[in-house]
Amino acid sequence: MMEDSGEDMLRSRPNIVTTFFKRLGHTYQLMLDKSTPYTTGRWAFTIFLMLAFIIRILYAQGWYIVTYALAIYHLNLFLAFLTPKIDPALEEMEDEDGPELPTKQNEEFRPFIRRLPEFKFWYSATKATLIGFCCTFFELFNVPVFWPILVMYFITLFCITMKRQIKHMIRYKYLPFTWGKPKFQTTPGKEDAGSKTQTV
């Protein structure tokens, strides 16, 4: 009986390697959580990483297929960032008389909810750039390819997809950015009147 309880204790005790990786995962998640409010700093780091990747590609004169795959992935992330979570086109097809995005000023306001939130966009773009950067150190990924064709194909693909996205934005009247949108502002006279009534 004593032997069985000793085996149970050994089984229930966590492994050192498992404990280390759990602690590492918790630390990593804590750092990600702390970086969430610093949008500018996060994107500055990612842009720096992308520039380092481009310099590495130009210096090494290779790994164009890795660059192309990374550019396509970034384009895919950007499109998901621009599109709404609930696509109005699908909503329109499912229920023709159902709810739709407001088209007039007096209709109900619905905030724009992205299919891919900003933080997940940043995280995926940074992770993909780091993976792409690591791939440039392995000759296995240096597939010989005529790079001008890849550049032309990417430019064509970018133009077609962005044109389709802009048409979608115009048709369903939504703007995925907050720049230029009206903001609620209080007039100074109303604030003073409210503070006076509170003090009396």
Side-chain angles (χ1 to χ4, degrees):
M1 290 189 108
M2 292 291 284
E3 289 176 9
D4 291 342
S5 62
E7 283 179 18
D8 290 340
M9 283 180 66
L10 284 172
R11 284 180 192 155
S12 64
R13 187 179 294 168
N15 191 356
I16 295 169
V17 177
T18 310
T19 309
F20 171 74
F21 280 111
K22 275 187 180 177
R23 214 174 267 170
L24 192 69
H26 287 301
T27 308
Y28 178 68
Q29 189 61 47
L30 184 69
M31 288 174 64
L32 280 178
D33 292 342
K34 284 184 177 179
S35 72
T36 304
Y38 305 107
T39 310
T40 310
R42 286 189 283 112
W43 281 104
F45 172 72
T46 303
I47 289 168
F48 171 76
L49 204 61
M50 287 178 186
L51 288 174
F53 176 80
I54 291 167
I55 290 167
R56 165 79 181 146
I57 294 300
L58 292 174
Y59 178 74
Q61 293 293 309
W63 291 275
Y64 299 118
I65 202 79
V66 174
T67 310
Y68 176 72
L70 183 64
I72 293 291
Y73 184 69
H74 282 170
L75 178 63
N76 190 20
L77 289 175
F78 185 61
L79 287 173
F81 177 72
L82 291 179
T83 53
K85 189 174 186 177
I86 301 164
D87 193 358
L90 294 175
E91 212 172 68
E92 189 179 82
M93 287 171 67
E94 286 174 4
D95 191 7
E96 291 178 8
D97 297 328
E100 52 187 43
L101 288 173
T103 53
K104 296 175 186 169
Q105 198 167 4
N106 58 355
E107 287 185 25
E108 181 188 352
F109 169 73
R110 290 187 191 175
F112 183 79
I113 301 168
R114 299 177 190 285
R115 197 170 81 197
L116 182 70
E118 180 272 328
F119 185 80
K120 287 185 179 178
F121 176 34
W122 167 80
Y123 182 67
S124 300
T126 306
K127 198 164 60 170
T129 308
L130 275 170
I131 291 168
F133 196 81
C134 291
C135 287
T136 61
F137 292 99
F138 296 98
E139 200 61 38
L140 171 74
F141 299 109
N142 192 9
V143 180
V145 67
F146 187 59
W147 65 267
I149 291 175
L150 292 180
V151 172
M152 287 305 297
Y153 185 64
F154 177 74
I155 290 170
T156 307
L157 190 66
F158 179 80
C159 292
I160 290 168
T161 51
M162 288 310 295
K163 182 182 176 185
R164 191 176 63 199
Q165 186 65 34
I166 290 167
K167 279 183 177 178
H168 192 268
M169 289 170 166
I170 292 168
R171 182 176 176 193
Y172 294 103
K173 296 179 173 71
Y174 67 90
L175 188 65
F177 302 108
T178 54
W179 309 312
K181 287 187 178 179
K183 293 181 182 177
F184 177 73
Q185 293 177 349
T186 56
T187 54
K190 287 183 180 177
E191 280 182 16
D192 294 340
S195 62
K196 282 177 185 174
T197 53
Q198 287 176 355
T199 54
V200 172

